Amino acid sequence: MAKRPVHDIEAKWQAQWEKDGLYQAADPGQSNAEKFYGLIEFPFPSGEGLHVGHPRSYTAIDAMTRKRRMEGANVLYPIGWDAFGLPTENYAIKMKVTPQEATKKNVGNFTRQLKMLGLGFDWTREVDTTDPKYFKWTQWQFIRFYNSYYNEVEGRARPISELPPTFNKDEYRMAYKAASTINWCPRCKIGLANEEAQGGVCERCGNPVEKREKAQWMIRITKYAERLLKDLEGVDYLDKIKAQQINWIGKSEGAYVDFAIVGAQHAAPLQDKITAFTTRPDTLFGATYLVLAPEHPLVETWIKEGNVKNATAIQEYQRASAAKTEIERTNESKEKTGVQLEGVMATNPANQEQIPVWISDYVLANYGTGAIMAVPAHDERDQAFAEVFKLPIIEVISEEAMVNSDFLNGVPVWKAKDEMISWLEEKEFGERATTYKLRDWVFSRQRYWGEPIPIIHCAKCGAVAVPDDQLPVMLPEVEAYEPSDSGESPLASIREWVEVKCPQCGGDAERETDTMPNWAGSSWYFLRYCDPNNDQELASHEKLKYWMPVNLYNGGMEHTTLHLLYSRFWYKFLWDLGIVPEECGSEPYAKRRSHGLILAQGGEKMSKSKGNVVNPDDVVKEYGADVFRMYEMFMGPFDQAVPWDTNGIEGVRKFLDRVWNLFDGEAANPFSDLETVYHQSVKKVSDGIEFMHFNTCVSQLMILSNAFTDAGGVPSDMRRGFIQLLAPFAPHLAEELWEKIGEKGSVHKSGWPAFDKDKLHAATFDLVVQVNGKVRAKVNVDSDISEEDAKAKAIEAAAKWLEGKEPKQVIYVKGKLVSIVA
RNA sequence: GCCCCGAUGGCGGAAUGGUAUACGCGGGGGACUUAAAAUCCCUAACCCGAAAGGGUGUACAGGUUCGAGUCCUGUUCGGGGCACCA
């Protein structure tokens, strides 16, 4: 038998497919077929090249879209490059080339690698976030954020021009610049969003982050918190992905409670009050002190007014906590520290008790109101704090408990949460409140390799958006783009780029020098795929209406929190403004799945430092793309992490070799059992692709192939179907075999095989006989046996275990078993 | 601490509440070969038994059911996410 000419076949068909434009999606109007939009997270084209993890997702969605295409759907399966970002900048610095050159080189390499895998991408729709034709629209959209506000009444974003003139526009813009404490990575020399500094360390390099005050561009994603939460109900995401989104948004329901304040210099209560947020207003009777975040603005006020007696100690504590990094604050979390604001007392509205006020860094300034009522009897943290500083602990007791107790004189009663909120509102001591952990999105980066934020600062006019007809704002070509210690963007030092005329008044002005985060370009790329070459709009309504929403989106778990949240938000914003048409719906992705990691042999993570990285180039060189693809599908359940196994890929190679050989020999004569396996296989592979059980699809193809081998060949009426079943997984081999059996056209547009329901079961089967739950016998019977006959045969076969007794109960499961209770 | 997911042979894993371990890897045995590789065939959960057969078995303890890997309750271990969020 001839050896399978793997590489010749693959090269031949890849060229043919490209020539025929086989995988090009038809625009609306050109096709009457149903559309299917399959999406994979577009890769960041790193200098390392493709990782074996990338194709796991690409191959899976390729299999699914291939099946759809074979079924006649108009499939959109696009590819592009999320090419801005820090690693390219670092790579470029190392290689002494520009980021533009580095990107071009890396994209070239990725393109070669992806093409060698024979993935059915529509390459005519390729997008690149660093292409001015693309980022022009990213900038354009930023200007929409800048020129919009959130209309609370309508519950959606509207153009800022609709804001009543009595409002100060700058306070309502969806994109705004504000001084904020940012996470600063001293190694990367970059400001990070909270999301990128989780656990107090830089996401990129693992260095502890410091806090810095800096004016940053922010986007008001918090306005969408409720919608981002609620709309999860209408989409099909993996449960754990929904859970991550819900967690991150972090909704808490409770109340704001106001505490009146008395200070050292004032006998009468101060004007100021402290508002605390609590999810447990029912424990208000047990609040024995208040705690403010060290940064709470009232602390400053009271120091100035002389209302606190120990200003020096307070200021020292404030300085100490400001100097701590996030990680230090977290690590020391067990030991509570703080300082009392001596001279200041608050009134507990529930019982008019005077309670002390403290500052402590266990209270966060940027959540809730930056102040809490401490109930040490019912909160672990408050308890720890109270124990350190010997503060009173009062337990709040429920009415139910009161009934059975005899020492309750004077002990406060626990009201139900809702009852308590109503009481607070009635007495005007507070109000119902909802808070979210989600913060506004820090959108500024002090880096070169990102989209310049299209704003011009004019001394006279303030911040002015770059007019649409002057977009894109290009990155200047420079020699040095290394970040500086000053925290300024490298763009700031390029004076000829920075200095411009104000688009409004024509006076001297300066460009904004911050660039956008990576998340920007990836927040809307799926829209651009619908209409990638449009130079009038980011995408036409007609095309968006046709293609959106994405039917299936797949990517790694590492992007199911941030990227998913940002892009859902971004999409909703565009939808609010009508840039994305109403008909597309409020969510961009109808269905989201994620694949598991591919680990190194032995179960460790692949990493360069461990030297256990498998390079797709080597695998394809040795085995070819079909084996590589099929092995990745066979390794294990799609959503689980699985280790690479060199022996495992050999098994798949042998399998495809056997398939190849099957078509070298004679056609076999069909017989009943073979037909059964065939029809079962059609069903199992069809269902398996739908439910993303790709590993069992491959198993079933092996079972079918083994059956054909045993039969001595593939019966002629099963040849087409068998090749069609193979096509989504081994597209090159399938195409070659398709040609070999004399079929015209591509197998990938040839239809999808159907199974015959009547042929899913063999003529006879082994009827299982259980006695008292144990399998005692098997009787081969006709498939169409009647219930009565089956029971009779079963009882006969079970005679030995029944010992002449009459069965108490006989249960019949059609096609499976008879269960006898003796 | 909170949330999510998982635990099945030597290994990756399969199994709409109905024959546990399909398929693949690795192992053992054999064929072909001077030999090896490649390829092909056979074998294989564990215990008792020569065999027929019987018993045990899906992390652990219970429960529901004629019947549980699957459903319920509790526990242990592992993975992931969040975490001083009041």
Side-chain angles (χ1 to χ4, degrees):
Chain A
M1 269 176 274
K3 198 174 174 303
R4 185 162 59 98
V6 177
H7 295 99
D8 293 348
I9 289 174
E10 294 182 353
K12 167 184 162 188
W13 291 111
Q14 283 167 18
Q16 186 66 42
W17 295 334
E18 188 157 347
K19 189 170 152 249
D20 296 344
L22 192 69
Y23 306 121
Q24 282 178 30
D27 278 325
Q30 294 174 4
S31 165
N32 295 322
E34 195 189 344
K35 70 99 181 178
F36 185 84
Y37 187 173
L39 182 68
I40 44 95
E41 284 166 353
F42 64 162
F44 171 74
S46 72
E48 326 256 298
L50 204 67
H51 182 274
V52 288
H54 287 112
R56 193 175 191 194
S57 177
Y58 306 166
T59 307
I61 306 307
D62 194 44
M64 183 162 256
T65 51
R66 278 178 190 278
K67 174 168 180 274
R68 286 278 183 286
R69 194 181 290 111
M70 289 170 78
E71 288 168 335
N74 181 24
V75 166
L76 174 55
Y77 187 38
I79 182 74
W81 316 105
D82 186 14
F84 273 127
L86 211 43
T88 297
E89 208 169 312
N90 292 338
Y91 177 83
I93 290 168
K94 201 175 89 189
M95 307 301 279
K96 302 203 186 333
V97 294
T98 65
Q100 286 85 348
E101 290 163 334
T103 299
K104 199 173 166 214
K105 178 170 169 281
N106 293 343
V107 164
N109 190 39
F110 264 70
T111 301
R112 174 190 64 78
Q113 290 185 301
L114 291 179
K115 287 196 170 172
M116 103 193 153
L117 294 175
L119 295 158
F121 290 131
D122 181 350
W123 286 94
T124 66
R125 290 172 185 257
E126 188 177 347
V127 302
D128 174 352
T129 55
T130 66
D131 181 347
K133 291 208 261 319
Y134 182 91
F135 73 69
K136 168 187 170 176
W137 294 107
T138 313
Q139 292 174 333
W140 183 89
Q141 289 167 92
F142 177 86
I143 293 169
R144 300 315 108 174
F145 279 110
Y146 181 70
N147 283 330
S148 301
Y149 77 107
Y150 199 78
N151 184 316
E152 306 280 355
V153 178
E154 291 181 38
R156 60 176 179 148
R158 298 300 305 155
I160 198 92
S161 56
E162 293 179 8
L163 191 70
T166 50
F167 289 77
N168 177 358
K169 284 182 182 165
D170 288 340
E171 285 175 23
Y172 290 89
R173 296 180 187 278
M174 285 293 295
Y176 63 100
K177 203 166 191 181
S180 71
T181 317
I182 60 156
N183 303 292
W184 176 259
C185 174
R187 189 186 299 177
C188 298
K189 296 169 184 168
I190 190 171
L192 301 164
N194 288 323
E195 293 88 322
E196 295 162 315
Q198 290 176 30
V201 295
C202 172
E203 183 182 71
R204 306 230 173 249
C205 71
N207 219 45
V209 297
E210 295 167 2
K211 289 220 156 73
R212 278 202 186 181
E213 279 291 322
K214 198 163 188 320
Q216 300 278 305
W217 282 98
M218 314 276 286
I219 295 190
R220 267 185 232 282
I221 189 173
T222 49
K223 292 290 178 194
Y224 283 72
E226 189 59 36
R227 286 167 64 187
L228 287 166
L229 196 62
K230 193 164 157 282
D231 286 354
L232 286 173
E233 288 165 17
V235 291
D236 175 13
Y237 291 4
L238 232 45
D239 280 348
K240 59 176 167 181
I241 299 175
K242 276 194 189 180
Q244 276 184 20
Q245 297 272 301
I246 291 166
N247 257 331
W248 192 262
I249 295 166
K251 181 178 181 172
S252 292
E253 288 177 288
Y256 290 138
V257 183
D258 295 334
F259 293 78
I261 298 297
V262 188
Q265 299 297 313
H266 299 73
L270 297 181
Q271 288 282 303
D272 309 314
K273 60 187 183 187
I274 294 174
T275 304
F277 174 72
T278 178
T279 54
R280 294 293 307 277
D282 50 317
T283 63
L284 179 57
F285 286 98
T288 53
Y289 58 96
L290 299 186
V291 190
L292 309 187
E295 304 92 327
H296 199 289
L298 281 177
V299 178
E300 215 53 51
T301 311
W302 294 334
I303 290 174
K304 260 188 229 152
E305 293 171 353
N307 277 307
V308 287
K309 297 179 189 165
N310 55 339
T312 316
I314 291 165
Q315 284 166 329
E316 195 175 308
Y317 186 80
Q318 286 176 319
R319 264 194 303 277
S321 60
K324 281 187 199 170
T325 63
E326 192 69 36
I327 203 160
E328 284 168 331
R329 250 173 105 148
T330 316
N331 282 349
E332 296 165 1
S333 68
K334 293 289 166 256
E335 284 169 47
K336 295 283 183 282
T337 58
V339 178
Q340 187 182 349
L341 303 182
E342 287 172 23
V344 174
M345 293 298 275
T347 307
N348 182 338
N351 52 18
Q352 303 303 310
E353 294 280 331
Q354 294 295 296
I355 57 174
V357 181
W358 289 67
I359 56 170
S360 171
D361 61 10
Y362 85 92
V363 174
L364 306 174
N366 51 4
Y367 178 75
T369 59
I372 63 155
M373 59 178 223
V375 187
H378 298 280
D379 183 282
E380 266 180 46
R381 297 152 302 182
D382 297 344
Q383 189 185 357
F385 190 84
E387 278 167 3
V388 172
F389 295 105
K390 307 279 181 286
L391 291 157
I393 299 172
I394 296 178
E395 197 172 344
V396 185
I397 298 186
S398 69
E399 283 180 87
E400 194 186 348
M402 256 182 116
V403 176
N404 301 316
S405 186
D406 54 2
F407 69 103
L408 284 162
N409 281 347
V411 175
V413 180
W414 179 318
K415 290 187 190 227
K417 179 170 162 180
D418 279 332
E419 199 186 326
M420 192 66 185
I421 295 172
S422 305
W423 181 80
L424 285 170
E425 287 182 332
E426 198 181 301
K427 300 273 182 187
E428 296 187 354
F429 289 149
E431 58 183 343
R432 187 175 293 278
T434 302
T435 62
Y436 301 89
K437 289 183 199 170
L438 186 68
R439 313 281 158 79
D440 274 344
W441 182 5
V442 179
F443 203 70
S444 282
R445 297 292 183 274
Q446 291 74 43
R447 274 288 178 168
Y448 175 81
W449 196 226
E451 302 88 341
I453 291 177
I455 293 287
I456 291 168
H457 298 283
C458 168
K460 226 191 294 174
C461 311
V464 177
V466 173
D468 290 351
D469 61 10
Q470 290 174 29
L471 297 177
V473 176
M474 297 289 285
L475 279 165
E477 285 186 25
V478 290
E479 289 186 10
Y481 42 80
E482 284 89 342
S484 63
D485 285 314
S486 70
E488 282 302 306
S489 160
L491 294 174
S493 59
I494 306 162
R495 298 312 299 173
E496 59 275 27
W497 182 81
V498 171
E499 287 165 14
V500 286
K501 295 296 174 199
C502 171
Q504 232 161 65
C505 70
D508 287 345
E510 296 199 344
R511 284 194 190 281
E512 170 63 54
T513 58
D514 285 353
T515 52
M516 300 187 199
N518 254 63
W519 312 110
S522 60
S523 285
W524 69 280
Y525 73 112
F526 51 92
L527 297 172
R528 188 63 176 172
Y529 281 144
C530 299
D531 196 4
N533 301 310
N534 194 328
D535 56 7
Q536 300 299 309
E537 314 167 81
L538 68 88
S540 79
H541 272 208
E542 186 203 6
K543 288 176 183 171
L544 290 174
K545 274 188 219 170
Y546 179 76
W547 288 113
M548 291 300 291
V550 172
N551 296 80
L552 173 63
Y553 189 21
N554 192 80
M557 281 307 293
E558 68 276 19
H559 287 134
T560 47
T561 313
L562 301 181
H563 160 64
L564 204 59
L565 193 74
Y566 290 144
S567 60
R568 289 178 60 221
F569 157 66
W570 192 291
Y571 176 89
K572 284 175 188 298
F573 171 75
L574 296 176
W575 187 70
D576 281 358
L577 293 187
I579 295 165
V580 169
E582 179 82 26
E583 293 89 329
C584 296
S586 66
E587 284 284 334
Y589 318 117
K591 182 171 174 174
R592 166 75 197 207
R593 292 292 179 272
S594 283
H595 57 273
L597 288 176
I598 293 183
L599 305 169
Q601 197 142 5
E604 287 189 300
K605 252 190 174 169
M606 282 191 192
S607 74
K608 254 202 315 197
S609 58
K610 287 188 186 127
N612 56 9
V613 176
V614 178
N615 182 343
D617 284 332
D618 298 338
V619 179
V620 171
K621 199 171 162 200
E622 184 159 3
Y623 298 101
D626 284 335
V627 170
F628 180 42
R629 298 170 50 124
M630 195 164 246
Y631 172 60
E632 290 223 342
M633 294 299 92
F634 184 56
M635 292 174 88
F638 184 60
D639 56 353
Q640 272 175 40
V642 276
W644 188 268
D645 179 6
T646 314
N647 291 318
I649 198 168
E650 279 289 346
V652 174
R653 198 209 80 234
K654 285 187 221 166
F655 163 56
L656 290 188
D657 284 346
R658 280 196 295 266
V659 169
W660 174 255
N661 292 338
L662 272 171
F663 284 86
D664 249 7
E666 295 292 302
N669 291 321
F671 52 91
S672 159
D673 283 355
L674 196 59
E675 276 192 339
T676 305
V677 179
Y678 171 79
H679 287 274
Q680 283 172 345
S681 299
V682 175
K683 179 165 169 34
K684 283 202 82 165
V685 172
S686 303
D687 291 350
I689 292 174
E690 293 310 314
F691 296 111
M692 304 183 85
H693 297 161
F694 304 108
N695 53 331
T696 60
C697 291
V698 179
S699 296
Q700 191 61 41
L701 288 169
M702 287 172 171
I703 291 169
L704 182 60
S705 157
N706 290 345
F708 286 145
T709 303
D710 291 346
V714 186
S716 51
D717 62 340
M718 297 179 200
R719 292 185 141 193
R720 283 178 51 102
F722 181 41
I723 296 169
Q724 285 167 332
L725 292 181
L726 285 164
F729 301 94
H732 311 87
L733 174 68
E735 194 77 298
E736 180 71 15
L737 294 175
W738 194 250
E739 185 186 60
K740 198 168 173 175
I741 65 168
E743 294 286 346
K744 298 278 173 267
S746 171
V747 69
H748 301 296
K749 295 223 166 158
S750 68
W752 186 251
F755 59 88
D756 184 342
K757 244 171 76 185
D758 297 331
K759 290 184 177 164
L760 289 175
H761 302 286
T764 65
F765 73 101
D766 285 336
L767 180 75
V768 172
V769 181
Q770 290 185 350
V771 180
N772 291 334
K774 287 187 198 253
V775 177
R776 291 301 185 185
K778 289 170 194 176
V779 194
N780 195 266
V781 297
D782 288 346
S783 291
D784 53 5
I785 188 167
S786 71
E787 178 167 348
E788 267 170 41
D789 290 351
K791 284 182 173 174
K793 287 213 173 188
I795 289 167
E796 188 190 326
K800 184 175 155 194
W801 288 274
L802 292 172
E803 293 167 338
K805 282 180 286 185
E806 195 63 21
K808 290 191 191 122
Q809 195 185 352
V810 181
I811 292 156
Y812 172 65
V813 182
K814 192 169 186 300
K816 290 269 162 63
L817 55 74
V818 173
S819 181
I820 300 167
V821 185

